[in-house]
Amino acid sequence: MNKTDYIKKSNDLLNDTNTYKKLKLDPTNKHKKKLVSMLTQLKEHVVSEDDNGKVMVFSKREFWKLYPTSETTARYYGLSKIHKATIPLRPIISSIGSITYDTANFCAKIISPLVGNTPYHIKNTLDFTNKIGVLKLGDDEELVSYDVTALFTSVPVEEALDIIQPRLENDTTLHERTNLNPSQIVELLRFVLTTTYFTFQDQVYQQIEGAAMGSPCSPLVANIFMEAFEENAINTSPVKPSYWGRYVDDTMVVLKTDDIDTFTRHLNSVNPVIKFTIEREEDGKLPMLDTLLHRKPDGSIKVTVYQKPTHTNQYLSFESHHPLQHKLSVVRTLMHRADTCITEEADKINEKNNIKKSLRMCGYGDWVYNVAQPAIAPDRQHVIRDKPHVGSIVVPYVRGASEALRRIFSKRGVSVHFKPANTLRSALVAPKDKVPPGKCCGTIYQVSCNDCDSAYVGESARPLNTRIAEHRRPSTTTSPVGDHQKAGHSIEWKDVKILDRETDWFWRGVKESIHIRTSKSDLNKDQGRHRLSGAYNSLLRQSMSRDSRHGSTVSDQ
């Protein structure tokens, strides 16, 4: 999709005044103050007190983890649904780095055990295959699938919270996950779910209905709401399905043919904001998730793999610059799906032949099927379990060098995971609006002097402009840059360089220390939050010398 069409479709979507509204100002400061006030009050709340001291709602660690330091405004982008004729966009609100992101993650971990405890819940394709495989359709029954129209933006937040609170109150394991009581959890959830502002093309919007797709807790809230919805819908329906299974917004139902219209009307009348589209079986076939269901003459159902019309049989090329494990995982995943989700042996053989034909076109040799084993051999499992495990690290993948690093680390009990550094997607696709350098949060920056070679390296979770403004204040006495300016030097405020970016507080401190060590930063009074061993000096000088000549500056705005 070209950019012009993408922007037009995005604007058409965001002009839906029932779901979104335009804001004149960025409300970050207002919402941040409210969240800080909520967290501060909770921090001071005592759960219990005994001879061992007070038990607080939040530990200091939890409080500072949730405390909003980064102020990145959530950004909209659209994902193309290329399998549909008009190629509509799925609206995603990227909230990473926003003031609510950590709180949303915190709430998601608390409410996640509430999901999936109903007989209608489908965990994954294998679970669905096992459940559908034991069904036997009557001559007067039919396979039907229902899809909720725009589930996330349709979920009524207050109704969902009214469902969540009693479930939390009845959860006997809640105290194992948090010291918050159900009312306090719901208040945090309400704040997260209603603080749904974002930017697109320099315009600030507010989502006024539903949960934002992109927030960590939105899928869970949508699932919990749908669990209550489906229970109510089935119990109050004048006709009953013989089977109902739902995966998020996709539902597979077995109904008598004469009851389909009645049941569909009933579904669409249960809640005014939840509407369903329907797809009925054709020639005894109906897709669901990544499976295709086939009605057999005796009423039983066989399952094969379903591929959308837009599928091209293109997989990760074997010649691409990716770790061998990633390529083998493609083979392992496709073969595992064929073995577990296809019900008849002849169909399994046919699917595996198709897989091999497709992978051969992508450069895979026949030897990969012997290497890509689905699991650790039983006689080696005790070796893996008994080996001491110190931790895990993720390193950019560079063919040859990364494998050598893994061998070295594995001898010391450290697992190494590879991440491709450059991909075609990252090089060609940039759906999110670019954030101006001055508004970037989580930066390691360098301030230089116009009159001499002195420089200062610092880090900040807040927008860079906010931190630079603090350096420039005449009353600032704790800033080495301010002291340097008071001494009569001219500071290059407009060309503050962004050396690196990091959202995590710990790793941002590490990167700051690295740049202090490798840059001309004589204005720094110390080595940063982390003191690095001198053993790193040689390696750091070599690796950073290339990067020191590059970087964004505030004047790039």
Side-chain angles (χ1 to χ4, degrees):
M1 182 183 297
N2 63 54
K3 187 175 181 179
T4 302
D5 291 340
Y6 172 79
I7 292 175
K8 183 180 183 305
K9 289 189 176 187
S10 295
N11 285 329
D12 290 344
L13 190 152
L14 296 175
N15 285 334
D16 175 10
T17 55
N18 294 321
T19 307
Y20 305 100
K21 70 175 180 180
K22 294 181 179 181
L23 301 180
K24 294 181 179 179
L25 299 173
D26 187 331
T28 297
N29 289 335
K30 179 182 72 174
H31 290 309
K32 180 178 179 179
K33 289 178 181 178
K34 183 177 179 179
L35 179 57
V36 169
S37 176
M38 293 174 65
L39 295 175
T40 302
Q41 291 178 25
L42 289 173
K43 183 189 70 169
E44 297 170 354
H45 187 81
V46 180
V47 177
S48 62
E49 188 172 359
D50 53 28
D51 295 338
N52 296 322
K54 297 179 180 179
V55 177
M56 311 299 289
V57 164
F58 282 142
S59 66
K60 289 184 178 180
R61 181 187 179 94
E62 286 177 323
F63 174 77
W64 287 113
K65 182 173 178 58
L66 300 185
Y67 191 94
T69 51
S70 177
E71 300 173 8
T72 301
T73 303
R75 289 177 289 166
Y76 158 91
Y77 66 97
L79 292 180
S80 303
K81 300 180 182 180
I82 61 173
H83 58 284
K84 295 191 176 181
T86 59
I87 314 181
L89 296 178
R90 177 181 287 111
I92 307 295
I93 309 303
S94 176
S95 60
I96 297 174
S98 69
I99 59 171
T100 61
Y101 187 71
D102 290 329
T103 302
N105 261 324
F106 176 75
C107 291
K109 291 177 182 178
I110 294 174
I111 66 173
S112 60
L114 305 181
V115 178
N117 300 318
T118 73
Y120 309 118
H121 177 71
I122 296 174
K123 297 179 183 177
N124 49 41
T125 302
L126 178 58
D127 181 44
F128 173 68
T129 302
N130 292 335
K131 290 177 178 177
I132 205 75
V134 299
L135 297 181
K136 197 161 188 178
L137 305 180
D139 293 337
D140 59 345
E141 290 183 318
E142 191 173 330
L143 291 169
V144 179
S145 71
Y146 290 102
D147 181 26
V148 181
T149 303
L151 173 60
F152 281 69
T153 54
S154 300
V155 170
V157 170
E158 288 302 324
E159 287 186 44
L161 294 176
D162 288 341
I163 295 167
I164 290 172
Q165 179 149 347
R167 291 196 181 190
L168 289 170
E169 292 169 350
N170 295 325
D171 186 357
T172 58
T173 64
L174 180 62
H175 67 280
E176 298 174 4
R177 303 193 296 278
T178 181
N179 288 329
L180 293 171
N181 63 44
S183 296
Q184 293 166 335
I185 297 168
V186 167
E187 280 306 304
L188 283 177
L189 268 174
R190 178 177 285 109
F191 178 82
V192 168
L193 293 170
T194 56
T195 308
T196 51
Y197 65 96
F198 58 92
T199 63
F200 179 69
Q201 297 281 293
D202 297 325
Q203 171 65 52
V204 183
Y205 294 85
Q206 172 77 41
Q207 182 173 322
I208 55 179
E209 293 291 343
M213 187 179 293
S215 171
C217 60
S218 291
L220 298 169
V221 172
N223 254 313
I224 292 171
F225 173 79
M226 286 303 299
E227 287 179 355
F229 175 94
E230 66 193 1
E231 184 177 5
N232 178 42
I234 294 171
N235 290 339
T236 58
S237 175
V239 295
K240 307 294 182 183
S242 59
Y243 173 79
W244 173 289
R246 181 185 55 82
Y247 182 84
V248 192
D249 59 350
D250 290 328
T251 306
M252 174 60 63
V253 183
V254 177
L255 281 164
K256 289 186 177 181
T257 302
D258 294 340
D259 294 339
I260 292 176
D261 291 339
T262 301
F263 189 73
T264 303
R265 285 194 298 270
H266 171 71
L267 274 183
N268 285 320
S269 68
V270 174
N271 192 303
V273 298
I274 301 297
K275 300 299 178 184
F276 291 83
T277 58
I278 182 175
E279 184 178 358
R280 301 172 66 164
E281 67 174 74
E282 293 185 8
D283 299 325
K285 300 177 183 179
L286 188 68
M288 174 65 178
L289 302 180
D290 57 347
T291 68
L292 184 63
L293 309 182
H294 305 252
R295 176 203 285 266
K296 299 178 68 175
D298 63 354
S300 62
I301 300 173
K302 79 168 184 175
V303 182
T304 60
V305 171
Y306 174 70
Q307 293 175 338
K308 294 178 179 178
T310 53
H311 183 72
T312 61
N313 286 321
Q314 290 295 312
Y315 300 102
L316 181 66
S317 171
F318 199 80
E319 300 302 320
S320 63
H321 190 264
H322 283 73
L324 178 61
Q325 290 85 347
H326 292 191
K327 297 164 187 174
L328 295 180
S329 70
V330 173
V331 181
R332 189 180 301 114
T333 300
L334 294 174
M335 289 298 185
H336 178 71
R337 182 175 65 173
D339 281 326
T340 57
C341 297
I342 298 178
T343 52
E344 296 191 357
E345 194 61 33
D347 294 323
K348 290 182 181 181
I349 295 173
N350 184 53
E351 175 65 16
K352 289 183 177 181
N353 287 335
N354 289 335
I355 291 171
K356 290 180 179 180
K357 181 179 179 181
S358 298
L359 291 180
R360 195 174 297 117
M361 296 295 293
C362 296
Y364 291 73
D366 292 339
W367 61 270
V368 298
Y369 305 102
N370 296 323
V371 177
Q373 298 299 321
I376 300 170
D379 60 344
R380 282 190 42 82
Q381 288 182 1
H382 71 282
V383 177
I384 301 298
R385 285 197 301 268
D386 294 342
K387 190 172 183 177
H389 185 258
V390 177
S392 302
I393 60 171
V394 178
V395 299
Y397 181 70
V398 178
R399 186 175 295 165
S402 296
E403 287 87 352
L405 280 174
R406 183 176 57 188
R407 288 192 294 270
I408 294 171
F409 279 109
S410 63
K411 293 178 182 178
R412 290 157 178 80
V414 178
S415 300
V416 177
H417 306 282
F418 300 144
K419 179 180 180 180
N422 297 304
T423 64
L424 283 175
R425 179 180 178 84
S426 63
L428 301 177
V429 181
K432 299 179 188 177
D433 291 343
K434 187 176 181 180
V435 180
K439 294 184 179 180
C440 287
C441 299
T443 58
I444 296 92
Y445 61 90
Q446 183 181 65
V447 182
S448 302
C449 177
N450 280 328
D451 301 332
C452 64
D453 293 332
S454 296
Y456 173 83
V457 171
E459 60 86 17
S460 179
R462 295 169 296 160
L464 181 58
N465 279 343
T466 301
R467 181 65 183 121
I468 296 306
E470 292 175 345
H471 282 301
R472 299 184 68 173
R473 281 185 202 142
S475 60
T476 300
T477 58
T478 58
S479 169
V481 183
D483 293 342
H484 195 67
Q485 187 175 29
K486 288 177 184 178
H489 290 258
S490 172
I491 303 299
E492 189 61 73
W493 295 114
K494 291 185 178 180
D495 288 324
V496 176
K497 182 181 291 186
I498 296 177
L499 301 176
D500 215 330
R501 299 181 185 181
E502 176 60 58
T503 57
D504 184 89
W505 177 86
F506 176 82
W507 291 113
R508 191 167 60 250
V510 172
K511 289 185 177 182
E512 177 196 30
S513 299
I514 291 173
H515 284 284
I516 290 173
R517 181 74 61 86
T518 57
S519 303
K520 180 83 174 171
S521 53
D522 55 335
L523 294 182
N524 288 82
K525 296 179 179 179
D526 54 38
Q527 294 298 308
R529 283 195 270 116
H530 297 274
R531 285 193 169 275
L532 298 176
S533 167
Y536 289 99
N537 288 349
S538 177
L539 176 64
L540 291 176
R541 290 194 187 98
Q542 293 179 31
S543 63
M544 299 295 291
S545 61
R546 299 187 305 272
D547 301 330
S548 62
R549 298 187 296 271
H550 305 287
S552 303
T553 63
V554 174
S555 61
D556 292 338
Q557 301 180 62

